[in-house]
Amino acid sequence: MSDKSAFVIDADWLEKRLGTPGLSIVDASWYMPAQKRDARAEYDAVHIPGAVFFDQDLVVDPNSTLPHTLPSPSLFARFAGSMGISADDTIVVYDGPGFMAAPRVWWMFRIMGVFQVYILDGGFERWKAAGRPVTAEPTKTAPGVFHVDYDASKVVSLAEMRKIVDTGSAQVADARSAGRFEGTDPEPRAGLRSGHMPGARSVPSGTLSENGELLPLDRLQATLEAAGIDLSKPVVTSCGSGVTAAVIALALQSLGHGDVRLYDGSWTEWGGMSDTPVVTGKA
């Protein structure tokens, strides 16, 4: 049995298959405002040949006041179809560092019914550093029809999250940094309280990868268990705006954990309200 996640592919695998019909490559890079990086501009300057750009600030619910709210299945289908992606394709998603933003798009495709979707281990930075093929040429795609089979059960609403926190019916794994979780560091978005949901566990997303690669399965398990996550019980993942929460979802599903859901509003919603319980300090 491999010690690597079944949802991760290596650069050699992808390089050998560049240009293959039925393969869709997706640049899902996204950065926090404080990083002062423009993911779209970086993609336009250089990307893996054949890759399309998935704008995580655009492929959202236009009626939501929160960032990165999951779009409706029909809207997601229109976006995916416009990128030339079919639900029957083998989809490889990547981001710059490896496991920051790509898991969110991996998760989105999965809950929309695509299961042949993988993440590039090492990310684009490792790909470039190894001298693998890159281009600035725009990727030409023919718009198509993307057939959705949406699994709403994998997404947690605010109302559900309130019940979970009240009852402890599921574990809450928070992907934000330890400082933000404990309330010692300020939130990057204005108007949000600091701290975490009562009962939540701190699982900073960066602890689940190393040098751009997802940790081997035994280390993923050890990291999650050390954070207080019981792998035999349901887990809801959360973060700042729903992006890095998917890194924990990826880790859990890599270990065969089937009862994993994502709180899409995450801390931007929870910490921005006045009547949601918030605590500070370590878990």
Side-chain angles (χ1 to χ4, degrees):
M1 179 179 169
S2 171
D3 67 345
K4 298 291 281 186
S5 168
F7 305 119
V8 169
I9 57 97
D10 64 29
D12 285 342
W13 185 98
L14 181 58
E15 185 173 359
K16 288 173 187 172
R17 291 164 176 79
L18 291 178
T20 303
L23 174 68
S24 284
I25 306 172
V26 178
D27 185 327
S29 298
W30 174 84
Y31 300 100
M32 292 288 290
Q35 293 175 276
K36 295 184 173 16
R37 292 180 65 172
D38 184 332
R40 176 74 207 213
E42 292 184 22
Y43 164 84
D44 288 340
V46 64
H47 51 264
I48 294 175
V52 295
F53 185 71
F54 190 109
D55 190 333
Q56 298 208 51
D57 290 321
L58 178 66
V59 187
V60 297
D61 178 355
N63 299 314
S64 174
T65 59
L66 300 171
H68 307 132
T69 301
L70 193 69
S72 68
S74 60
L75 183 56
F76 184 90
R78 287 204 295 274
F79 277 119
S82 71
M83 289 183 256
I85 300 172
S86 164
D88 296 325
D89 288 348
T90 296
I91 301 170
V92 176
V93 186
Y94 71 87
D95 63 28
F99 288 92
M100 180 194 171
R104 168 72 181 191
V105 173
W106 167 87
W107 174 80
M108 291 171 80
F109 275 113
R110 282 183 64 81
I111 66 166
M112 294 296 175
V114 178
F115 296 102
Q116 292 293 110
V117 55
Y118 307 94
I119 300 174
L120 174 63
D121 219 12
F124 187 49
E125 289 165 13
R126 176 81 63 84
W127 178 278
K128 284 190 297 183
R132 297 182 188 272
V134 297
T135 185
E137 287 294 313
T139 298
K140 295 188 173 83
T141 59
V145 177
F146 184 93
H147 296 285
V148 171
D149 184 11
Y150 176 52
D151 185 356
S153 71
K154 298 299 185 185
V155 186
V156 175
S157 66
L158 173 63
E160 283 185 282
M161 200 71 233
R162 288 183 186 273
K163 290 178 183 174
I164 289 166
V165 171
D166 285 346
T167 64
S169 58
Q171 302 166 97
V172 180
D174 191 323
R176 294 173 301 149
S177 68
R180 289 171 65 189
F181 179 91
E182 293 168 15
T184 56
D185 292 344
E187 284 296 309
R189 293 179 177 86
L192 303 186
R193 291 174 291 163
S194 295
H196 58 271
M197 300 170 209
R201 297 291 180 174
S202 178
V203 188
S205 59
T207 64
L208 301 172
S209 63
E210 189 173 77
N211 300 319
E213 296 183 3
L214 193 68
L215 295 179
L217 297 181
D218 58 346
R219 291 181 62 193
L220 281 179
Q221 181 170 338
T223 300
L224 290 163
E225 290 178 343
I229 301 297
D230 183 336
L231 297 176
S232 69
K233 295 179 179 177
V235 181
V236 173
T237 68
S238 181
C239 61
S241 66
V243 175
T244 59
V247 181
I248 306 178
L250 168 68
L252 288 163
Q253 291 182 51
S254 296
L255 293 168
H257 195 306
D259 197 348
V260 184
R261 299 188 291 158
L262 188 148
Y263 170 35
D264 202 39
S266 282
W267 197 254
T268 303
E269 183 171 54
W270 192 273
M273 304 189 76
S274 60
D275 66 340
T276 45
V278 172
V279 295
T280 57
K282 297 182 185 294

